[in-house]
Amino acid sequence: MARRWTNTLTPEDVTPEAAFWNRRQIIAGMAGMGLASLAGPVRAAEGDLEPNSWDDVTSYCNFYEFGTGKSDPKTYAGRMTTSPWSVKIDGLVDKPGDYDFQQILGEMTIEERIYRFRCVEAWSMVVPWNGFELADLLNMAGVQEGAKYVAFETLYRPEEMPGTAYRVLDWPYREGLRLDEAMHPLTLMATGIFGKPLPNQNGAPLRLVVPWKYGFKSIKSIVRITLTDQEPPTSWNMANAREYGFYSNVNPNVDHPRWSQATERRIGSGMFASREPTLMFNGYEEEVASLYAGMDLTKQF
Amino acid sequence: MERVNQTLRRIPVWSIYLLGLLPLPWLFYLGLTGDLGPEPVKALEHEYGELALKLLVLVLAVTPLRRFLGLNLMKFRRALGVLCFAYVVAHLLVWLVLDVQIPSQILADIVKRPYITVGMVAFLLMLPLAATSNTVSVRRLGSGWRKLHRLTYPVAVLGAVHYVLLVKGFQIEPLVYLAMILLLLVLRLPISPPRSAIRARE
């Protein structure tokens, strides 16, 4: 927990033309945010970690508060008011309170993280996030002795969220992490993608990104963070505990009851692309496997 | 209603086939051009499947529409049924060839995943229906043809259940299809007017 995460995933030296403009956006965006120095020397990336396009990332979303269709969030999320925005941090913390989003931004250092993103529906993307480590935010609030879990809540504002007219899930959307997962250096609070502020459909202004877990754990548009000593209820687990466990770590060996998790479809690869094998912990096994030492991942899925 | 029926009678059946088949290559083309979004395979699978369900609802509506409103679409029923089968085949092919791709995973899915099992059973039940959707078969099978084609009822229910089982969370749309199909089946129960009256109108 002591070390900070060093990013090794960068776009390849030679960028295919299709992704060229995305690179331009990242670099321009970082320059705009005074982060150009973070780009550093561009290293050759491992294999296929070329980020998806801006269009892929912003038009293919699951944000059921705006509808269950993949394009619904892009169509309707513009209605969500994201400024002003505050996050209530409460429970077992030294400094509970309503933290203004701008105030949080002022205290945090924004960096870029290029992560694989694997949805429980067996599709995946690579997303260049901008954000800060959740650990930094939790340390700012002061985690008290006895805290074991972190609970998160998404904004629930029916007048701006047409999808909440249906009880697809028990609103507001809730997620949770064990404290050691929350403090892990890979766990990010994202505020942007491609060097730009998060679009509403991607969970503006502040969302969680836990790259080794299925996407639904990476809760969007967060308004509340609660430190607690008990495993918090989480939305998909409440809806269907047999299908969605509290941990929901990406695991090619544990199938969803209704579909295989062994392979995935890479978004944006077109009509004739082959499925790709899903990696244990979504490729972050080396970093996170120790968190689950001794656990039976087929039972605690 | 008589005037409507007369107008309908003038519409050639081939135009229904033509109109009905157009979306099939068109949607595929949209998938190629990226107009179905960044994940065209799933989108195409869904579009074909939903069109098949819509056609099933239409097929099942023909008899109640005639019985209760006097609207006669009998002439088009075979075309609607054959089109429905075409979209089911397209839906299945997209799933097999473009989506799952891996034969071992396809087999595992059919056996292990209830929604896929249900969908496959519905598809298999459609095969004898598609094979006998020609005038020769109708003549040769006589009253047996009517009985055989009652398989449409379980096919429709299984098709809707297939959709209900596959969505995440509590979603309305698949339940609407299931409700419509069940309603259209209930309307077939022998209530007034008696069957003889319908026969007389034929």
Side-chain angles (χ1 to χ4, degrees), chain A residues 62-282:
Chain A
N62 278 329
F63 198 163
Y64 280 10
E65 282 84 340
F66 298 101
T68 53
K70 291 289 182 284
S71 57
D72 287 342
K74 187 183 180 181
T75 311
Y76 300 113
R79 300 176 186 181
M80 177 169 64
T81 311
T82 58
S83 179
W85 191 277
S86 72
V87 182
K88 180 192 280 295
I89 303 182
D90 61 359
L92 300 168
V93 287
D94 296 331
K95 290 175 275 178
D98 292 304
Y99 288 80
D100 184 74
F101 176 62
Q102 292 304 327
Q103 176 199 345
I104 294 174
L105 272 188
E107 306 259 349
M108 299 290 136
T109 312
I110 303 293
E111 50 188 296
E112 189 194 49
R113 299 279 178 95
I114 300 176
Y115 283 160
R116 294 181 197 85
F117 186 91
R118 170 63 156 77
C119 179
V120 75
E121 296 164 358
W123 54 262
S124 66
M125 295 188 188
V126 173
V127 184
W129 302 102
N130 311 94
F132 51 86
E133 288 183 11
L134 174 59
D136 292 345
L137 182 68
L138 296 181
N139 288 335
M140 184 184 89
V143 179
Q144 289 184 347
E145 198 78 12
K148 292 194 181 79
Y149 294 91
V150 187
F152 304 86
E153 222 173 89
T154 294
L155 176 75
Y156 175 51
R157 199 179 280 155
E159 65 273 22
E160 294 181 0
M161 296 175 148
T164 60
Y166 307 96
R167 269 181 64 102
V168 181
L169 290 166
D170 188 3
W171 316 111
Y173 193 81
R174 276 158 277 190
E175 259 309 334
L177 294 173
R178 224 169 51 190
L179 187 61
D180 57 346
E181 298 174 322
M183 299 299 273
H184 193 281
L186 273 175
T187 304
L188 194 72
M189 290 297 269
T191 55
I193 49 172
F194 296 98
K196 298 177 178 183
L198 271 180
N200 283 5
Q201 63 266 36
N202 294 93
L206 184 69
R207 68 170 291 171
L208 183 67
V209 178
V210 195
W212 72 91
K213 291 175 180 284
Y214 293 120
F216 68 85
K217 294 293 290 183
S218 293
I219 183 170
K220 298 187 178 81
S221 303
I222 295 168
V223 292
R224 187 174 180 190
I225 300 174
T226 309
L227 276 290
T228 151
D229 56 357
Q230 312 217 335
E231 186 182 290
T234 59
S235 290
W236 280 106
N237 183 254
M238 288 154 69
N240 194 335
R242 200 175 74 90
E243 298 189 351
Y244 309 100
F246 174 77
Y247 288 96
S248 287
N249 294 316
V250 176
N251 187 340
N253 309 313
V254 175
D255 283 349
H256 184 280
R258 287 183 284 154
W259 52 83
S260 165
Q261 296 290 26
T263 60
E264 62 202 46
R265 298 192 57 81
R266 173 77 188 271
I267 297 300
S269 55
M271 293 266 276
F272 306 108
S274 302
R275 293 185 83 92
E276 292 172 14
T278 290
L279 304 170
M280 188 65 199
F281 294 113
N282 202 24

Side-chain angles (χ1 to χ4, degrees), chain A residues 121 255 258 265 273 275, chain B residues 39 98-99 101 113 165:
Chain A
E121 296 164 358
D255 283 349
R258 287 183 284 154
R265 298 192 57 81
R275 293 185 83 92
Chain B
E39 179 26 331
L98 300 180
D99 186 356
Q101 302 168 354
R113 324 275 169 212
L165 287 179

Side-chain angles (χ1 to χ4, degrees), chain B residues 9-167:
Chain B
R9 229 167 283 151
R10 258 177 257 135
I11 299 174
V13 175
W14 60 259
S15 66
I16 300 297
Y17 278 111
L18 189 72
L19 265 178
L21 274 178
L22 276 179
L24 205 150
W26 176 243
L27 287 166
F28 195 86
Y29 171 75
L30 290 182
L32 290 175
T33 57
D35 287 301
L36 292 182
E39 179 26 331
V41 174
K42 280 284 171 202
L44 197 62
E45 205 171 271
H46 182 84
E47 294 286 344
Y48 286 161
E50 196 162 351
L51 273 169
L53 260 182
K54 283 178 179 154
L55 285 159
L56 260 177
V57 169
L58 276 178
V59 166
L60 288 181
V62 170
T63 295
L65 281 176
R66 195 169 55 135
R67 193 190 273 189
F68 297 105
L69 301 178
L71 179 68
N72 193 346
L73 297 168
M74 275 311 275
K75 179 182 170 186
F76 309 111
R77 191 165 71 171
R78 183 194 294 174
L80 295 172
V82 171
L83 284 169
C84 172
F85 182 70
Y87 281 98
V88 167
V89 170
H91 172 71
L92 182 63
L93 282 176
V94 172
W95 181 71
L96 289 174
V97 180
L98 300 180
D99 186 356
V100 188
Q101 302 168 354
I102 307 153
S104 60
Q105 197 169 319
I106 290 168
L107 287 175
D109 276 354
I110 292 173
V111 181
K112 272 165 73 180
R113 324 275 169 212
Y115 82 94
I116 292 173
T117 316
V118 165
M120 281 307 292
V121 170
F123 169 70
L124 292 177
L125 292 180
M126 284 186 101
L127 290 177
L129 304 185
T132 56
S133 286
N134 54 76
T135 313
V136 179
S137 296
V138 177
R139 282 213 199 98
R140 193 177 295 163
L141 292 172
S143 66
W145 189 92
R146 257 174 180 277
K147 270 190 205 140
L148 177 66
H149 279 250
R150 289 203 187 115
L151 277 178
T152 311
Y153 309 157
V155 164
V157 174
L158 291 171
V161 168
H162 169 68
Y163 192 9
V164 170
L165 287 179
L166 80 88
V167 294

